[in-house]
Amino acid sequence: MERDPLRLAWKTSPIIHILAMALLASAGALLALEFDLVRALVNEIMQPAPADVARHLLRIGISTPAGFHPESLILFEGFVLDAGTFRDVAIGMVIAIPVLIGLVLSAVSWLVSIVGTGVLKRLRRTVLGAVLGASPGTREEAAEATLLVGETLARESNVFGAALISTLKLWGVIGVSVAFTVVSGWRLGLCLAMMLVIGAVLCAHRLNLRLQAARARQREGTAVSENFASVIERLPAVHAHATAPYETRCVSQALASGHAPVEDEERRLAFADAATSIVLLLAPLTVLGVGAWSSANNLTPGTLVACVLAASLAAFGVREVVQWQRVLDRARLLLSDIAHDLAALQTRDRRVAKEKLPKDGDLVARNVSAYDPASGGRISGVNLELPFPSHVALVGNGDSGSHMLAALIGGQLSPSTGHLTYGGIDLVAADSLSRAQRIAFAGETVLLPGTLRDNLIYGSEAADDLDQRLADAIAITRLDRVTHARGLASTFNPEREPKLAASIVESRRAVQAALIAEGLDRFVDPFDATRYNRHATIGENLLFGKPVGDTFREDRLASHPFIRAILEATDLTKPLARMGLSIATSMIEIFAEIPDGHPLFARFSFFSAADRAYFEDLVARRNEKRRATSASDRERLIGLSLRYNESRHRLGLLDEGMQGRILVARADFTRMLPASLQPSIEFYEANRICTAANVQDNLLFGRIASDQAGADDSVQAVIRRVLTERGLDAGVARIGLNSALDAGGGDLTLTEVAAIDLVRCLIREPDILVVARALDGLPGPAADKLVADLRRSLAGRGLIVVTPEISEPMDAPPFDAIIRFIRGEPSLESRIRRLESEPA
């Protein structure tokens, strides 16, 4: 990796740099032209020629020593103008040229940003390639290699983009200024060059002194912190023995001695600052003095003023060059650190993955030892020989070594010693793409932000028959139940799928008819504008629809002015506030012994852990009647009431009279809803789909009774049968696949998360599938069914299954080999041929 920012910038975008150089050259020519115009204009003002004498605009000549040439050497005669035109044109050009230079430099700045973006992408691609190509054993080194490519590298991206261009720009200003001065008078140029060299040395020395002063201040700060910390530790003794004066004396002496180096550094820095400022200020003044001293050599006032202007710009450029060099040194150090981290990663991972694995072959372990830093597990001295394709069971608990051997075969761990080969090729030295295709490993599942489908097809996006492979893999792993359930719980856009929307509305009647025919209609409370739905919350009953957007969102419902007006008009404000107080009191009593972070509190409590103290205080104030409930308190209490569901929460707070008043409020809400708020809610209608509601609510047009045992399973079975009969399973499954997935796995069980990784592997149709975690947590019959389905789908291909125990149904037909791990030592039971097994 390139460590020099100048070479890195050039190699990243040479064409852009050439274009930038051309722009800088044009800016330099304009700067030289500006100097010449200043010279000519000042000469015209200070020493005007007779009106009838023609003026030469942009005349270029070189002043040489008298011994070599008695007069100036004219390179270009310029343009001949009369006196009036000359002055007007010169003034206009003097004003216009800085504007043109600014436009050119703005274009250069745009090119700098392009180069910076390119360098940033190049560095990140380099680090990403190194990290992705690293072996599993270099995970810590890979993490260290990525530390500097985030915010640190982003902050320096402008430096990398400007590394070469800004260097050329600054040196170009100095070069043009010195060159113009030399051309105008060689004595002036020699004098300016000497002063600039001295100024550059002093600027560099001043920057070094500033760094030393900063380090001294940092050391002083550390010492002060240590002194005060020691005083804090001795406070009990200070109070006991009244030694405050002694401590004050000691700390003051320590602070004074610690500050002395800072004063020395700052004193030296002050002298360096003064010397640097003097030299840089003297540069143009020295040119002026030398020019005045040699005025007899045909040095005009305009030439002298132009040279002084050029010297001032050159002095400014010297200071900027020195500071810019310091910035480049910092960027160079950052590149060195990144290169060092990558070198450490490559040193640890010396074996380059190049060889492709064959389709079939023997899996051979020779004296293999490995250590897993994540679990602390270790296996050693493993010797095995397994011909593939075959089906192998690794039997043992999580700490016995079965999972470690699976991880070694699957490429998640690298052997510490020994060799693990497949078809005669070392698995560590195998091509990563070939290895993933030949040997798929289903282990610890890493979920991605995105949809369920994005997670399932991760690694197989380019497969030709991807949809069919995905459907088969989902069926094998029994994730079809998950996709179906997620589809029912999700929404979809009817405008994009009008046929599906119409079919769901039609299926609504079929589902209702099937429930009635099977006597299951008692499990569903239908949506009816004239009835209170016992299995919906008070807020849902009040709206009788689904909110669209945030206006009528559940947590904002109690504070909405229109809702408050409806509740006040129907005399529900006080009853709901009293109900909310009862709910808060009950929640405080129920969860009194349960901490805030407990899953039960997060799932069943009406308020969050952050609001717990507020409601405890509110209930205490009400019980002690310390002060009346404020408007804010009533709003919060009403918010609790609106989330109340009698059939689910069963606190006995909702009677028929209250239900009737809520129905009256519902009618008022529907009738008086302003036109401006109508887009914020979609009401339930029997003959059309509610786009804001999920698929299940649209199919049932009601809610499942949550207080009756078996209601959910019975109703779900009817829904699935009706959807299958009407050919809608695929549509619902598609909705489920396109539903957003929590990257933390919060909306999935552990077995479902493990099944996702198993689907990823099955889609690739590997030659060997290593199943390390998919059986964890599965009940016996479910594990037997999954293994049977896997073995059937992988007939003629390799399968390695990690299982705590092997049952008779799982071993039918018999596995080709069973490797049992007892306290980390493998014992092989072969059903193919005699295979070597030497325990550690």
Side-chain angles (χ1 to χ4, degrees):
M1 180 185 140
E2 183 58 65
R3 303 189 184 198
D4 184 76
L6 300 177
R7 291 196 296 267
L8 177 62
W10 170 258
K11 291 179 180 178
T12 301
S13 306
I15 297 177
I16 293 180
H17 275 87
I18 293 174
L19 179 58
M21 290 176 189
L23 291 174
L24 290 176
S26 63
L30 289 172
L31 181 60
L33 179 59
E34 180 77 359
F35 292 152
D36 188 67
L37 286 170
V38 170
R39 176 194 59 77
L41 189 57
V42 172
N43 284 338
E44 178 65 20
I45 295 173
M46 301 298 295
Q47 297 177 344
D52 57 347
V53 177
R55 274 71 168 170
H56 291 267
L57 182 65
L58 304 181
R59 186 177 186 181
I60 301 175
I62 299 177
S63 176
T64 58
F68 295 92
H69 200 287
E71 298 178 357
S72 297
L73 178 62
I74 304 302
L75 301 179
F76 179 61
E77 286 290 343
F79 303 97
V80 180
L81 301 173
D82 59 70
T85 306
F86 175 84
R87 181 170 295 191
D88 294 340
V89 172
I91 292 174
M93 293 183 68
V94 165
I95 296 173
I97 286 177
V99 177
L100 292 176
I101 293 176
L103 294 176
V104 172
L105 293 181
S106 66
V108 171
S109 298
W110 177 64
L111 295 178
V112 165
S113 66
I114 296 176
V115 175
T117 301
V119 172
L120 194 63
K121 289 181 179 179
R122 177 173 179 168
L123 289 173
R124 287 175 174 168
R125 279 198 305 267
T126 301
V127 175
L128 181 61
V131 169
L132 294 179
S135 66
T138 59
R139 184 171 182 175
E140 293 183 1
E141 289 81 359
E144 292 179 1
T146 61
L147 290 178
L148 297 176
V149 298
E151 294 182 3
T152 303
L153 189 59
R155 285 196 301 268
E156 302 295 336
S157 61
N158 62 326
V159 176
F160 294 126
L164 183 56
I165 295 175
S166 291
T167 301
L168 294 174
K169 180 177 68 175
L170 293 174
W171 280 110
V173 170
I174 298 172
V176 170
S177 300
V178 173
F180 179 83
T181 307
V182 170
V183 169
S184 299
W186 66 271
R187 292 184 181 87
L188 303 181
L190 180 60
C191 175
L192 176 60
M194 292 176 58
M195 296 300 294
L196 293 181
V197 170
I198 297 173
V201 172
L202 290 176
C203 281
H205 181 60
R206 179 185 61 177
L207 288 178
N208 288 330
L209 289 178
R210 281 185 177 177
L211 291 176
Q212 294 176 16
R215 295 190 189 102
R217 285 190 291 269
Q218 184 177 7
R219 290 192 296 268
E220 180 194 18
T222 303
V224 170
S225 299
E226 292 174 353
N227 281 314
F228 277 95
S230 65
V231 170
I232 296 299
E233 292 177 359
R234 293 194 298 271
L235 275 180
V238 171
H239 294 317
H241 305 292
T243 56
Y246 170 78
E247 292 291 345
T248 301
R249 228 174 17 254
C250 292
V251 172
S252 298
Q253 291 174 357
L255 295 181
S257 61
H259 188 65
V262 176
E263 290 182 343
D264 294 339
E265 294 294 341
E266 290 182 343
R267 190 180 302 111
R268 285 194 290 268
L269 177 59
F271 285 121
D273 275 336
T276 304
S277 300
I278 290 171
V279 171
L280 293 180
L281 289 174
L282 281 178
L285 297 177
T286 303
V287 170
L288 178 61
V290 173
W293 173 72
S294 60
S295 59
N297 294 332
N298 297 325
L299 192 63
T300 65
T303 301
L304 189 57
V305 170
C307 289
V308 170
L309 176 61
S312 301
L313 285 178
F316 172 79
V318 164
R319 188 188 67 177
E320 293 297 315
V321 161
V322 174
Q323 292 179 349
W324 179 246
Q325 187 60 44
R326 183 69 65 183
V327 174
L328 290 180
D329 290 341
R330 188 180 67 227
R332 189 174 289 106
L333 180 61
L334 175 59
L335 290 177
S336 298
D337 290 340
I338 295 175
H340 178 269
D341 290 340
L342 294 182
L345 179 63
Q346 294 165 356
T347 300
R348 176 77 183 276
D349 188 27
R350 292 183 297 271
R351 291 168 288 189
V352 181
K354 292 183 179 179
E355 299 184 78
K356 292 186 177 181
L357 294 179
K359 184 175 179 62
D360 300 322
D362 289 355
L363 181 68
V364 180
R366 289 286 179 259
N367 198 30
V368 170
S369 299
Y371 169 71
D372 183 6
S375 65
R378 187 174 184 274
I379 57 175
S380 61
V382 177
N383 291 278
L384 296 169
E385 185 175 346
L386 300 171
F388 278 91
S390 58
H391 290 184
V392 180
L394 306 181
V395 183
N397 57 39
D399 299 327
S400 65
S402 56
H403 283 95
M404 286 196 64
L405 181 57
L408 285 168
I409 298 172
Q412 299 302 299
L413 291 176
S414 297
S416 303
T417 61
H419 296 281
L420 184 64
T421 62
Y422 177 70
I425 296 176
D426 194 328
L427 287 180
V428 178
D431 174 72
S432 59
L433 182 61
S434 170
R435 178 169 183 162
Q437 181 60 47
R438 299 299 184 197
I439 305 176
F441 178 76
E444 298 290 344
T445 307
V446 178
L447 298 179
L448 313 173
T451 65
L452 177 60
R453 177 186 172 86
D454 295 335
N455 277 269
L456 292 174
I457 66 174
Y458 178 60
S460 304
E461 296 86 346
D464 295 332
D465 51 346
L466 180 59
D467 291 338
Q468 185 58 49
R469 292 190 187 188
L470 178 59
D472 294 342
I474 288 175
I476 292 171
T477 57
R478 300 184 68 80
L479 273 180
D480 50 348
R481 295 179 179 271
V482 176
T483 59
H484 185 269
R486 292 179 69 89
L488 290 177
S490 301
T491 61
F492 70 100
N493 189 344
E495 295 181 359
R496 295 181 181 177
E497 301 188 68
K499 292 183 179 179
L500 179 60
S503 299
I504 288 177
V505 174
E506 293 176 4
S507 300
R508 176 186 297 169
R509 304 183 186 91
V511 170
Q512 293 170 345
L515 290 173
I516 294 173
E518 298 184 25
L520 300 177
D521 55 316
R522 68 185 188 279
F523 288 156
V524 177
D525 194 359
F527 293 136
D528 188 337
T530 62
R531 292 180 59 249
Y532 187 92
N533 192 296
R534 297 176 295 107
H535 307 293
T537 66
I538 291 178
E540 290 172 331
N541 272 281
L542 177 63
L543 298 180
F544 194 67
K546 295 294 291 184
V548 179
D550 296 335
T551 303
F552 292 120
R553 202 174 64 191
E554 184 181 65
D555 57 344
R556 296 185 177 184
L557 203 57
S559 61
H560 196 280
F562 180 68
I563 296 294
R564 295 298 301 272
I566 292 294
L567 296 179
E568 195 68 36
T570 53
D571 198 24
L572 280 172
T573 301
K574 292 182 179 180
L576 289 179
R578 288 195 296 268
M579 182 185 295
L581 183 62
S582 299
I583 293 171
T585 304
S586 299
M587 292 298 103
I588 291 170
E589 293 174 355
I590 292 171
F591 296 102
E593 303 299 326
I594 296 178
D596 291 343
H598 197 281
L600 287 176
F601 183 85
R603 182 175 180 182
F604 295 107
S605 178
F606 275 71
F607 43 78
S608 65
D611 292 332
R612 185 174 190 169
Y614 169 83
F615 283 106
E616 288 176 347
D617 178 72
L618 191 153
V619 171
R621 284 190 280 110
R622 290 287 296 172
N623 291 339
E624 297 179 7
K625 299 181 179 179
R626 283 183 285 174
R627 67 172 183 264
T629 305
S630 66
S632 175
D633 292 339
R634 285 195 298 273
E635 182 179 298
R636 301 284 289 273
L637 291 174
I638 291 173
L640 296 183
S641 300
L642 294 178
R643 291 196 287 272
Y644 181 72
N645 182 331
E646 181 65 54
S647 67
R648 184 190 311 158
H649 301 122
R650 304 182 186 182
L651 297 179
L653 302 175
L654 192 63
D655 55 21
E656 292 185 1
M658 179 67 77
Q659 292 178 7
R661 293 164 73 178
I662 293 171
L663 291 176
V664 173
R666 174 198 292 179
D668 291 345
F669 176 84
T670 305
R671 185 179 67 257
M672 296 189 296
L673 184 68
S676 60
L677 294 178
Q678 290 177 5
S680 300
I681 188 168
E682 188 174 2
F683 294 107
Y684 293 122
E685 296 183 22
N687 296 320
R688 62 183 293 271
I689 196 166
C690 180
T691 59
N694 60 38
V695 174
Q696 178 170 297
D697 282 355
N698 275 290
L699 281 170
L700 292 176
F701 199 68
R703 289 290 171 81
I704 299 176
S706 56
D707 57 349
Q708 299 191 46
D712 189 69
D713 291 339
S714 300
V715 173
Q716 291 289 349
V718 172
I719 291 175
R720 183 143 198 179
R721 187 176 68 251
V722 171
L723 292 176
T724 302
E725 291 172 353
R726 291 176 167 265
L728 296 177
D729 268 339
V732 174
R734 184 175 65 254
I735 296 172
L737 286 172
N738 291 328
S739 62
L741 189 68
D742 178 14
D747 53 350
L748 297 172
T749 66
L750 294 178
T751 55
E752 291 167 353
V753 171
I756 289 177
D757 210 38
L758 187 56
V759 170
R760 292 172 179 171
C761 296
L762 288 170
I763 292 177
R764 297 203 301 270
E765 297 183 348
D767 298 316
I768 300 176
L769 173 62
V770 182
V771 182
R773 296 290 179 185
L775 301 185
D776 293 355
L778 280 179
D784 295 340
K785 178 68 167 58
L786 176 59
V787 172
D789 291 344
L790 287 172
R791 296 190 65 186
R792 187 163 46 252
S793 66
L794 292 169
R797 289 185 285 163
L799 174 65
I800 300 175
V801 178
V802 178
T803 176
E805 295 292 339
I806 185 167
S807 62
E808 289 186 7
M810 195 180 293
D811 197 27
F815 277 94
D816 298 317
I818 297 178
I819 303 174
R820 300 183 185 274
F821 283 82
I822 302 175
R823 292 185 297 276
E825 297 183 356
S827 173
L828 181 114
E829 174 188 342
S830 171
R831 285 91 177 273
I832 305 175
R833 54 189 173 93
R834 182 65 182 172
L835 301 177
E836 184 179 3
S837 175
E838 299 179 7

